[in-house]
Amino acid sequence: MNIFRLTGDLSHLAAIIILLLKIWKSRSCAGISGKSQILFAIVFTTRYLDLLSTFISLYNSCMKVIYIGCAYATVYMIYMKFRATYDGNHDSFRVEFLVVPVGGLAVLINHDFSFMEILWTFSIYLESVAILPQLFMISKTGEAETITTHYLFCLGLYRALYIFNWVWRFYFEGFFDLIAIVAGVVQTILYCDFFYLYVTKVLKGKKLSLPA
């Protein structure tokens, strides 16, 4: 494992922990898109079904279990435990406009036309756009809490680091996965405007406000 993948995984884990701690400590899921979290739960479920049949390493298996467990814990807290604080009115992105096209694309463009491979491809495509309901919600409300922006920054950083991971693996291992690379680049692009606002405002102690 190279340093880019390791730091990318740690950044991803940090994003998940930040989100869970934010909800638990504040006893509120205000400003969090439940729809994005449902999409991430679907991503991890469809991607890591091989957890039941394939063992790569203890690290790999533990990370898969953590991602799946944390994803469903987040969904539970948003829609069950702290449901009264969930802002469903602003979390109005039509997720079917993401899931249906992504599902069709996974069937049409994949490495191997098999059930597990299509599910893996579906998870890769879906992850690239799963954050859109969250970004749409922030845009609709016009601002985001600092802790929410830290979560988004770590999530975007994870994807950016994985691009460097793929470059490393191409040059040193001869590994190249066009589907994962294109999806990762698309996802990173979605964060670009947010990265700029994060650096220019949040890191200077200003409240992040986005145009509605």
Side-chain angles (χ1 to χ4, degrees):
M1 180 186 299
N2 62 71
I3 187 64
F4 297 114
R5 179 177 177 181
L6 178 60
T7 52
D9 286 347
L10 293 178
S11 179
H12 194 184
L13 185 59
I16 294 171
I17 293 174
I18 287 171
L19 184 64
L20 285 171
L21 288 178
K22 183 269 180 191
I23 297 174
W24 186 258
K25 287 188 174 182
S26 66
R27 317 297 286 181
S28 169
C29 54
I32 303 299
S33 169
K35 291 184 177 182
S36 269
Q37 297 309 312
I38 288 176
L39 292 180
F40 281 124
I42 295 174
V43 165
F44 296 138
T45 301
T46 53
R47 182 176 302 172
Y48 299 143
L49 282 179
D50 64 347
L51 184 65
L52 303 175
S53 59
T54 304
F55 178 80
I56 298 175
S57 68
L58 182 60
Y59 170 84
N60 183 273
S61 296
C62 287
M63 293 299 282
K64 288 178 180 180
V65 171
I66 290 172
Y67 288 152
I68 294 173
C70 288
Y72 281 98
T74 304
V75 171
Y76 166 77
M77 286 196 285
I78 293 174
Y79 288 100
M80 299 289 288
K81 191 171 184 64
F82 303 118
R83 184 177 181 178
T85 66
Y86 170 56
D87 186 5
N89 292 327
H90 286 120
D91 192 16
S92 56
F93 193 95
R94 300 286 296 276
V95 294
E96 60 268 28
F97 292 155
L98 299 178
V99 175
V100 174
V102 161
L105 188 62
V107 171
L108 293 173
I109 304 177
N110 50 69
H111 294 307
D112 177 48
F113 196 76
S114 64
F115 179 70
M116 293 297 290
E117 185 65 26
I118 290 174
L119 286 182
W120 179 87
T121 306
F122 171 78
S123 76
I124 294 296
Y125 291 152
L126 185 60
E127 186 182 18
S128 70
V129 294
I131 199 61
L132 282 176
Q134 179 67 67
L135 297 178
F136 179 78
M137 186 178 185
I138 293 176
S139 177
K140 198 171 182 180
T141 58
E143 59 183 31
E145 296 180 15
T146 300
I147 195 69
T148 305
T149 61
H150 292 334
Y151 158 72
L152 289 172
F153 178 79
C154 287
L155 206 56
L157 181 61
Y158 140 67
R159 293 314 308 176
L161 286 167
Y162 254 63
I163 292 178
F164 290 105
N165 164 61
W166 293 321
V167 172
W168 175 283
R169 295 192 66 184
F170 175 75
Y171 279 102
F172 293 96
E173 301 175 15
F175 176 84
F176 183 78
D177 189 331
L178 185 59
I179 289 176
I181 291 173
V182 171
V185 169
V186 169
Q187 187 174 0
T188 305
I189 290 174
L190 292 177
Y191 285 94
C192 284
D193 186 51
F194 173 80
F195 282 153
Y196 172 77
L197 293 173
Y198 184 89
V199 172
T200 58
K201 292 189 176 184
V202 176
L203 294 185
K204 292 181 179 180
K206 298 178 182 180
K207 192 171 185 178
L208 178 63
S209 297
L210 299 176

